[in-house]
């Protein structure tokens, strides 16, 4: 396989210098840039050739490479040529720093060399830089000339500089592959199912397949996916592993797993990417880029920092990044992204691959079959991806923005008028609610006229942001709304028959226009195809065909499922057929719920968690329980909790395990998955209701969409998401072979076949038709465990 390097990548890495300035990041979309390119290219005569591809094969560090480039415009003559490079941005041309212009000209000079190298008759080239400042499309043009010898010398200097870094990366890869090839499984034995899962992962990587794997809690999914992926690296079947998660806790498990293998003589470079808001230094958060010491001269200090951290560190965590960023005065978030280019395993949130706003362009601009995607707790990706590909705008801030922008008319007049025009357009497009006396409506087409007004307001705000104006509340509020507009604009590019345009009132009478994605699977599939293989795994990925459909919908994806490695009789699952939790029946069954909880916890001292499907219902159950049993120690999840409060909640379960403690938590919330309470830290779980998401317009749209496609709309929109929450919560109980306890399902619907057909195979469900039977079953379970 020939390694390919783009001219732009080559130039940017070797020549980049100066400041890290986010103001220079253009807000133009790829579509806008391409449109401007085509518009300019069409203005030229027949001799002008657009989008001319060039390449050259070279050997660096004894490795074959192909340098690829594409000239925007080319005019060929007998012994000379004119090469045009078109750049588009919303920054004023005169405000571009020399460091950026150096990159622009470097790219054209590299094209000149590739052209002359492939056309010996051409002795010199005229270089033309065409810069288009958007949104007004103001064109600036500059020219330079270069001869064959100067172009050759320039290109060779690029390669020499790049070769040093290539050697550094290649040395890492060679040492990594050797250690990965000889690495053995880091535990004495495989758990039940681990060897089979590892083999399935390895084969999926070898054949560039997508694998959906359900492996119950306790299987050791992290080691069972990372280990075979790294072994595949040793056999040169892949070159980079991306481990994507939904939670920080699962990122830490991945870090620990890599550390474990490193202790067994694996040499590998891994990095955990942390979100910008969590890793940025406090002292730089309120600074402008031009005043931020961590951004000023960033690129001048970057390469020495990369060399040092790669020399001394292998497993690079958030703390490690911040340590070196502080030492070299670098913005830690950008430093982590630049450093990731030299790492073998990259751990981070789902959005780094799937979110169109923040995905890692340096890795995912084009397909790379040497990438492997490991996607942990993949069941979370269903709702997360829907959110990623949806966008909404509200009128709630418009009145305030219009009012605030009346001040300083010399600066704000144009902005004020644009906001008024947009507000008018906003309300014109929402009159349909008032005219029909309705609170919401969903339509199948985008609002083209409204979307044009969104684009115009974006342009107006961007013009305003370029001016000098006081740092006041208006500035902060405008920026916040501006980013919402940009997000809406970006998502509108994806609009197709998987979308609905929703117009609705909120409870406080604000109006929302939302682009709602009912089925993000085409976009997820496109992202997954940027790698050679993808392993999507979870303890609750049932039914697998449902997840295959909603998480990519690839025709030849593979499915794999293993049974729980723990003894089935370590847990008892009881369905209470005498408790009804539908909305109309909740009040009547409240006392039965409280009494059933008491029967479970009074049978054996220990720690229990009761899950309820909504904050309101949770509060009702909790208040009723503590009123009736005030002497029992209880804790209840709050609707919003800081990290310290979350840790305190968990710590109470890990302490005083001989005493009775009853925790109340939200089904589908932060404590219903991702927490690891082993042994006597948890001996019982109660789950109130089947966990159906609330009936609402968006879930109904999802239901109708899939009803039309396959007739399973209710399952896809309500039943399966609810059951996933139930099974995740139940999975908190048995974490090791030594864990024992009861799961009590408090809803008669659990006795229905349409629910039971999706239950895990290790659930030997016992149906109880009255409270006395429930108490008997629990007491009998613990009595048998004493024997």
């Amino acid at each position: 396989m020939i390694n390919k390097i783009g001219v732009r990548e080559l130039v940017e890495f070797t020549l980049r210098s100066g400041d890290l300035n986010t103001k220079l990041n253009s807000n133009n979309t790829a579509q806008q840039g391409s449109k401007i390119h085509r518009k300019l290219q069409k203005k030229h005569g027949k001799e002008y050739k657009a989008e001319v591809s060039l390449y050259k094969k070279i050997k660096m560090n004894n490795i074959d490479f192909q340098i690829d480039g594409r000239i925007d415009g080319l005019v060929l003559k007998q012994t000379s040529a004119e090469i045009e490079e078109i750049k588009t941005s919303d920054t004023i041309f005169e405000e571009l720093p020399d460091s950026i212009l150096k990159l622009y000209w470097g790219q054209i000079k590299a094209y000149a060399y590739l052209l002359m190298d492939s056309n010996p008759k051409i002795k010199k080239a005229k270089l033309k830089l065409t810069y288009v400042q958007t949104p007004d499309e103001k064109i600036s043009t500059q020219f330079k000339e270069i001869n064959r010898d100067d172009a050759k010398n320039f290109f060779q200097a690029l390669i020499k500089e790049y070769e040093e870094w290539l050697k550094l990366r290649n040395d890492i890869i060679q040492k990594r592959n050797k250690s990965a090839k000889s690495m053995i499984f880091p535990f004495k034995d495989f758990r039940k199912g681990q060897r089979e899962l590892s083999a399935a992962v390895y084969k999926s990587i070898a054949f560039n397949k997508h694998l959906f794997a359900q492996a119950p809690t306790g299987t050791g999914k992290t080691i069972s996916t990372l280990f075979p992926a790294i072994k595949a690296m040793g056999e040169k079947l892949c070159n980079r592993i991306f481990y994507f998660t939904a939670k920080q806790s699962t990122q830490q498990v991945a870090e620990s797993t890599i550390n474990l293998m490193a202790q067994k003589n694996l040499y590998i470079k891994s990095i955990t990417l942390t979100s910008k808001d969590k890793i940025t230094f406090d002292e730089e958060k309120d600074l402008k880029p031009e005043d931020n010491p961590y951004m000023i001269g960033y690129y001048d200090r970057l390469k020495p920092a990369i060399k040092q951290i790669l020399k001394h560190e292998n497993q690079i965590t958030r703390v490690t990044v911040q340590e070196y960023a502080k030492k070299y005065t670098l913005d830690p978030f950008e430093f982590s992204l630049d450093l990731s280019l030299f790492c073998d395993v990259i751990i981070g949130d789902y959005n780094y691959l799937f979110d169109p706003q923040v995905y890692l362009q340096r890795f995912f601009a084009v397909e790379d079959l040497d990438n492997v995607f490991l996607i942990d707790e993949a069941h979370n990706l269903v709702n997360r991806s829907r959110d990623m590909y949806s966008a909404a705008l509200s009128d709630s801030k418009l009145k305030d923005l219009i009012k605030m922008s009346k001040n300083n008319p010399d600066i704000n007049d144009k902005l004020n008028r644009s906001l008024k025009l947009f507000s008018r357009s906003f309300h014109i497009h929402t009159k349909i609610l008032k005219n029909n006396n309705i609170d919401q409506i969903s339509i199948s087409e985008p609002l083209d006229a409204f979307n044009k007004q969104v684009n115009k307001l974006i342009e107006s705000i961007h013009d305003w942001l370029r001016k000098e104006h006081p740092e006041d509340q208006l500035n902060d509020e405008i920026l916040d709304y501006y980013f919402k507009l940009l997000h809406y604009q970006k998502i509108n590019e994806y609009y197709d028959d998987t979308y609905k345009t929703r117009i609705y009132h909120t409870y406080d009478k604000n109006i929302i226009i939302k682009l709602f994605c009912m089925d993000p699977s085409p976009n997820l599939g496109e992202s997954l195809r940027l790698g050679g293989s993808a392993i999507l795994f979870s303890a609750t990925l049932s039914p697998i065909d449902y997840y295959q459909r909603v998480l990519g919908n690839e025709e030849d994806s593979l499915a794999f499922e293993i049974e729980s490695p723990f003894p089935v009789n370590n847990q008892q699952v009881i369905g209470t057929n005498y408790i009804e939790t539908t909305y109309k029946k909740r009040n009547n069954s409240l006392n039965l719920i409280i009494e059933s909880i008491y029967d479970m916890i009074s049978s054996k001292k220990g720690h229990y968690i009761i899950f309820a499907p909504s904050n309101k219902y949770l509060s009702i159950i909790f208040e009723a329980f503590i009123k009736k049993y005030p002497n029992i120690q209880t804790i209840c999840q709050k609707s919003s909790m800081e990290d310290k409060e979350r840790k305190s909640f968990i710590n109470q379960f890990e302490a005083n395990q001989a005493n009775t403690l009853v925790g109340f938590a939200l089904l589908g919330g932060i404590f219903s998955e991702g927490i690891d309470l082993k042994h006597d830290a948890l001996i019982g779980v109660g789950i109130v209701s089947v966990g159906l998401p609330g009936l609402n317009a968006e879930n109904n749209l999802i239901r109708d969409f899939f009803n039309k496609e396959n007739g399973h709309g209710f399952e896809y929109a309500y039943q399966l998401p609810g059951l996933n929450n139930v099974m995740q919560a139940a999975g908190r109980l048995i974490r090791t072979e030594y864990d024992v306890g009861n799961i009590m399902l408090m809803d008669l619907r659990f006795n229905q076949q349409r629910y039971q057909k999706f239950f895990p195979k290790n659930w030997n469900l016992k149906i109880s038709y009255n409270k006395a039977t429930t108490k008997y079953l629990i007491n009998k379970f613990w009595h048998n465990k004493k024997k």
Side-chain angles (χ1 to χ4, degrees):
M1 180 183 293
I2 295 179
N3 299 282
K4 294 183 179 181
I5 302 172
V7 165
R8 183 171 177 174
E9 174 191 342
L10 176 66
V11 169
E12 287 197 356
F13 187 81
T14 52
L15 297 184
R16 193 142 213 175
S17 62
D19 302 343
L20 172 67
N21 194 333
T22 54
K23 278 192 172 182
L24 296 173
N25 295 335
S26 174
N27 292 307
N28 297 330
T29 65
Q31 286 182 339
Q32 288 173 317
S34 299
K35 185 178 179 181
I36 291 171
H37 274 61
R38 291 192 296 270
K39 184 177 178 180
L40 292 176
Q41 289 163 341
K42 287 179 180 179
K43 289 183 177 180
H44 295 278
K46 292 182 180 180
E47 73 282 1
Y48 183 94
K49 306 296 182 185
E51 307 297 331
V52 179
S53 295
L54 298 169
Y55 71 92
K56 179 178 176 63
K57 293 180 180 179
I58 62 172
K59 190 178 287 289
M60 287 191 285
N61 198 32
N62 295 318
I63 304 172
D64 291 325
F65 282 87
Q66 180 171 299
I67 310 296
D68 287 315
R70 188 166 62 185
I71 296 174
D72 290 331
L74 175 65
V75 177
L76 273 177
K77 298 180 181 178
Q78 284 190 340
T79 60
S80 65
E82 181 176 301
I83 300 170
E84 181 179 36
E85 175 67 14
I86 302 171
K87 297 293 184 183
T88 63
S89 177
D90 36 31
T91 302
I92 297 171
F93 183 72
E94 289 73 20
E95 293 180 359
L96 289 174
D98 291 340
S99 58
I100 296 297
L101 289 171
K102 184 180 180 181
L103 298 180
Y104 290 170
W105 286 115
Q107 196 172 336
I108 311 176
K109 289 177 184 178
Y111 290 150
Y113 168 74
L114 293 177
L115 179 68
M116 294 181 194
D117 184 68
S118 61
N119 292 272
K121 292 182 179 180
I122 300 175
K123 307 299 181 185
K124 62 181 180 178
K126 186 177 183 180
L127 312 180
K128 180 182 180 183
L129 173 61
T130 300
Y131 182 85
V132 184
Q133 181 203 330
T134 56
D136 299 329
E137 296 191 12
K138 180 183 177 183
I139 297 175
S140 301
T141 307
Q142 287 188 350
F143 294 92
K144 289 186 179 183
E145 288 195 356
I146 194 168
N147 60 39
R148 174 179 286 272
D149 289 340
D150 289 343
K152 182 178 180 180
N153 292 336
F154 173 80
F155 189 80
Q156 287 179 340
L158 284 182
I159 295 299
K160 185 177 180 181
E161 166 74 10
Y162 195 82
E163 192 168 14
E164 177 189 356
W165 291 91
L166 184 70
K167 183 179 186 307
L168 175 62
R169 177 65 183 142
N170 189 59
D171 288 346
I172 291 171
I173 291 172
Q174 295 300 319
K175 193 173 179 181
R176 176 201 74 192
N177 287 353
K178 184 178 179 181
S179 69
K181 194 169 185 177
S182 61
M183 179 181 64
I184 61 174
F185 194 66
F187 296 102
K188 184 179 179 180
D189 298 302
F190 284 91
R191 286 182 186 173
K192 180 182 177 182
Q194 277 188 325
R195 187 186 296 275
E196 293 80 4
L197 176 56
S198 296
V201 170
Y202 187 91
K203 290 177 182 177
S204 299
I205 294 171
F207 292 100
N208 287 337
K209 293 291 185 180
H210 295 174
L211 172 69
F212 289 77
Q214 176 169 273
T217 298
T219 306
K221 295 181 289 297
T222 308
I223 189 65
S224 301
T225 51
L226 273 170
F227 174 73
I230 291 170
K231 291 296 288 184
M233 269 184 171
E235 299 298 331
K236 300 180 182 179
L237 297 175
C238 62
N239 193 45
R240 188 171 272 121
I241 298 167
F242 293 86
Y243 195 101
F244 295 116
T245 74
K247 295 182 176 68
Q248 188 175 342
S249 58
T250 42
Q251 292 179 12
Q252 291 168 350
V253 173
E255 290 174 352
S256 298
T257 303
I258 292 171
N259 279 327
L260 177 66
M261 289 185 280
Q263 291 168 15
K264 302 292 184 180
N265 299 319
L266 172 67
Y267 178 86
I268 201 163
K269 300 287 183 183
S270 67
I271 187 169
T272 301
L273 299 180
T274 306
S275 62
K276 188 177 182 70
D277 63 315
K278 290 183 179 179
I279 199 172
T280 299
F281 296 128
D282 290 339
E283 61 266 31
E284 64 170 324
K285 285 182 177 178
D286 296 324
L287 294 176
K288 294 179 180 179
E290 59 268 29
D291 297 328
N292 187 341
Y294 297 96
M295 292 185 175
I296 298 169
Y298 172 89
Y299 290 107
D300 301 325
R301 299 184 297 275
L302 175 63
K303 291 177 183 177
I306 290 177
K307 285 182 180 178
Q308 283 301 304
I309 198 170
L310 291 176
K311 181 180 179 181
H312 296 288
E313 311 289 345
N314 289 333
Q315 276 61 70
I316 302 166
T317 63
R318 166 184 170 177
V319 173
T320 314
V321 169
Q322 288 183 317
E323 177 188 341
Y324 281 82
K326 181 75 75 173
K327 181 179 178 180
Y328 287 89
T329 320
L330 298 169
D331 176 78
F333 179 69
E334 293 295 335
F335 178 45
S336 68
L337 296 181
D338 288 321
L339 182 58
S340 66
L341 289 166
F342 294 88
C343 293
D344 309 299
V345 181
I346 298 170
I347 303 166
D349 190 88
Y350 294 151
N351 58 16
Y352 289 120
L353 174 63
F354 298 107
D355 194 323
Q357 289 289 102
V358 298
Y359 76 97
L360 299 173
Q361 294 190 34
R362 64 196 69 206
F363 292 114
F364 306 134
V366 294
E367 177 186 292
D368 187 345
L369 297 181
D370 287 334
N371 289 337
V372 168
F373 303 143
L374 303 181
I375 300 166
D376 196 358
E377 303 292 357
H379 63 274
N380 284 307
L381 188 55
V382 180
N383 286 333
R384 278 285 300 275
S385 60
R386 229 172 239 130
D387 291 339
M388 289 176 192
Y389 287 95
S390 299
L393 289 173
S394 170
D395 71 335
S396 62
K397 291 289 183 181
L398 279 174
K399 285 183 181 179
D400 291 339
L401 291 174
I402 291 168
K403 185 177 179 180
M404 284 188 285
S405 61
K406 285 181 179 178
N407 301 323
N408 300 318
D410 292 343
I411 300 173
N412 299 338
D413 182 60
K414 184 179 177 182
L415 174 65
N416 182 261
R417 284 187 278 114
S418 296
L419 288 166
K420 287 178 179 176
L421 284 172
F422 183 69
S423 180
R424 204 171 297 138
S425 174
F426 198 105
H427 289 283
I428 287 172
H429 285 87
T430 57
K431 274 186 178 179
I432 190 170
L433 299 180
K434 186 176 181 180
N435 293 344
N436 291 278
N437 195 28
I438 52 177
D439 285 328
Q440 61 174 316
I441 191 171
S442 298
I443 56 179
S444 300
E445 298 84 25
L447 304 176
D448 291 336
F450 176 75
N451 294 338
K452 287 180 181 178
Q453 293 302 316
V454 169
N455 296 340
K456 287 182 178 180
L457 183 56
I458 287 173
E459 293 170 6
S460 180
I461 294 176
H462 192 73
D463 285 343
W464 181 82
L465 289 171
R466 286 205 296 255
K467 299 174 184 176
E468 289 293 329
H469 45 77
E471 291 292 324
D472 55 13
Q473 186 182 359
L474 174 61
N475 188 66
D476 295 338
E477 298 285 355
I478 281 289
L479 273 174
D480 183 63
Y481 203 72
Y482 179 54
F483 291 133
K484 287 182 171 63
L485 291 164
L486 289 174
H487 183 220
Y488 182 97
Q489 182 190 58
K490 179 69 178 177
I491 295 304
N492 189 54
E493 295 178 16
Y494 292 89
Y495 202 102
D496 58 15
D497 58 4
T498 66
Y499 278 83
K500 291 284 188 182
T501 301
R502 294 196 63 225
I503 306 172
Y504 60 96
H505 286 290
T506 63
Y507 69 93
D508 51 359
K509 300 304 179 184
N510 293 320
I511 300 174
I512 306 286
I513 294 179
K514 182 174 183 178
L515 309 178
F516 177 61
C517 182
M518 299 172 290
D519 176 23
S521 64
N523 303 316
L524 295 178
E526 194 172 312
S527 295
L528 291 173
R529 285 189 289 274
L530 293 170
S533 59
I535 317 300
L536 298 94
F537 56 100
S538 170
T540 54
L541 215 60
S542 177
I544 283 186
D545 58 353
Y546 159 72
Y547 286 98
Q548 288 176 301
R549 167 61 188 83
V550 296
L551 294 179
N553 201 26
E554 187 185 52
E555 288 185 5
D556 60 347
S557 65
L558 307 175
F560 182 84
E561 185 175 357
I562 58 177
E563 295 181 11
S564 172
F566 307 131
V568 173
N569 62 1
N570 275 15
Q571 73 175 11
Q572 178 175 236
V573 185
I574 302 171
T576 59
N577 204 52
Y578 53 91
I579 293 176
E580 294 185 79
T581 68
T582 56
Y583 190 77
K584 292 181 180 179
K585 302 285 186 178
R586 284 182 180 180
N587 289 336
N588 296 335
S589 63
L590 182 59
N591 190 58
L592 284 172
I593 291 171
I594 302 307
E595 287 300 313
S596 296
I597 294 171
Y598 181 75
D599 288 341
M600 179 167 66
I601 68 171
S602 61
S603 61
K604 181 178 174 60
K605 286 185 177 181
H607 294 174
Y608 301 82
I609 298 183
I610 309 302
F611 292 98
S614 70
N615 283 312
K616 183 177 179 180
Y617 199 12
L618 178 66
S619 179
I620 291 170
I621 294 170
F622 175 67
E623 294 295 335
F625 186 85
I626 61 174
K627 183 178 180 180
K628 190 162 188 177
Y629 301 105
N631 295 325
I632 295 175
Q633 184 185 358
T634 59
I635 51 174
C636 187
Q637 177 183 344
K638 298 177 183 177
S639 58
S640 61
M641 299 177 78
E642 300 292 333
D643 285 344
K644 288 183 179 179
E645 293 175 302
R646 296 180 188 182
K647 289 177 182 176
S648 175
F649 188 96
I650 296 300
N651 288 342
Q652 292 188 59
F653 285 88
E654 294 173 342
N656 303 317
Q657 294 175 5
N659 298 330
T660 294
L661 169 68
V662 185
F664 291 81
L666 183 66
L667 187 63
I670 54 175
F671 299 118
S672 67
E673 61 176 282
I675 62 170
D676 205 17
L677 299 173
K678 298 176 182 177
H679 310 319
D680 289 338
L682 187 67
I683 63 169
V685 169
I687 300 171
V688 181
S689 90
V690 292
L692 295 181
L695 287 167
N696 60 50
E698 291 185 356
N699 285 335
N700 287 343
L701 288 174
I702 297 168
R703 178 199 63 197
D704 296 344
F705 179 87
F706 285 107
N707 258 342
K708 187 176 180 181
E709 178 188 286
N710 56 30
H712 295 287
F714 180 76
E715 287 180 9
Y716 278 33
Y718 289 100
Q719 187 180 359
L720 292 175
L723 267 179
N724 189 281
N725 290 335
V726 169
M727 289 185 280
Q728 279 290 326
R732 299 314 94 209
L733 182 64
I734 304 297
R735 312 296 295 176
T736 76
E737 60 187 301
Y738 305 105
D739 297 356
V740 178
N742 288 282
I743 297 169
M744 186 162 61
L745 306 175
M746 289 176 271
D747 193 308
L748 59 78
R749 286 172 288 185
F750 286 115
N751 195 28
Q752 297 173 0
Q753 177 58 28
R754 64 172 178 164
Y755 283 95
Q756 290 190 15
K757 68 180 180 180
F758 296 123
F759 284 178
K761 294 178 181 177
N762 65 325
W763 277 21
N764 183 17
L765 182 68
K766 296 178 180 178
I767 299 297
S768 171
Y769 292 92
N770 54 63
K771 197 172 77 69
T773 303
T774 300
K775 187 173 183 177
Y776 168 78
L777 289 171
I778 294 171
N779 288 337
K780 183 181 178 183
F781 175 82
W782 288 121
H783 177 75
N784 290 336
K785 292 303 170 187
K786 292 178 182 178
K787 293 180 180 180

